[in-house]
Amino acid sequence: GIGYVLRKGYDLPPLMLTTEEAEAMAVGVRMVRRLRDPDLQQAADSVLSKLSATVPDAVLDTLRAPRIWVSSGSVAKPSAVDLAELRSAIRAARKLVVAYTDEQGRRSRRTIWPIAMVYYVDATLIAAWCELRSDFRHFRVERIRSCSVLDETFPKDAARLLTQWL
């Protein structure tokens, strides 16, 4: 009724990371900062903090000050869309209505089935099935003028959709 208790004298071992693994984690966390997604940035910083509290001292310096630098990037922060809300819609298989402006400045309004967030070095996209085009399309988040999550869902067969998209 109270959960698990370790008897006196027993302890959980520290999380053991090699120096290479610690560098990979530190670089990954710093790369997430480039995404301009505050919720993911906060989660990445939280992971780094948790790792820093559990790894042996020999690995701690690698997490705190890795000798690999990651630039801050130049991705435009999306102003009309909440990236956390998009990720939530993807997980829940909920349709979105987006007002979008393409690279030529043409405007459209579409109902899409978001299946993945795609993070490139300097662009964040939503990969989706577009009801208007009856095909897969990519939407740069900084070009979305407005976005509404619908109550309506799409088939949750994410593996099939992802396979077809890929």
Side-chain angles (χ1 to χ4, degrees), residues 12-73:
L12 292 174
L15 181 61
M16 298 304 294
L17 296 176
T18 66
T19 300
E20 294 273 321
E21 290 168 336
E23 280 182 340
M25 292 301 298
V27 167
V29 165
R30 284 163 178 83
M31 288 185 81
V32 168
R33 291 180 185 152
R34 294 180 61 126
L35 304 179
R36 308 295 190 263
D37 185 330
D39 290 347
L40 276 185
Q41 290 169 340
Q42 185 177 4
D45 288 339
S46 175
V47 166
L48 190 60
S49 176
K50 288 176 183 178
L51 282 173
S52 295
T54 61
V55 297
D57 290 339
V59 178
L60 192 55
D61 285 342
T62 303
L63 285 177
R64 288 188 179 153
R67 281 135 188 103
I68 298 171
W69 187 74
V70 177
S71 71
S72 59

Side-chain angles (χ1 to χ4, degrees), residues 123-140:
T124 300
L125 310 174
I126 301 170
W129 177 262
C130 176
E131 290 185 356
L132 178 67
R133 300 287 185 223
S134 296
D135 200 1
F136 292 102
R137 292 289 189 262
H138 299 110
F139 301 91
R140 290 180 67 127

Side-chain angles (χ1 to χ4, degrees), residues 145-161:
R145 295 185 333 271
S146 68
C147 177
S148 299
V149 178
L150 302 178
D151 290 332
E152 189 177 352
T153 60
F154 57 89
K156 277 193 174 183
D157 190 358
R160 181 184 57 78
L161 282 173

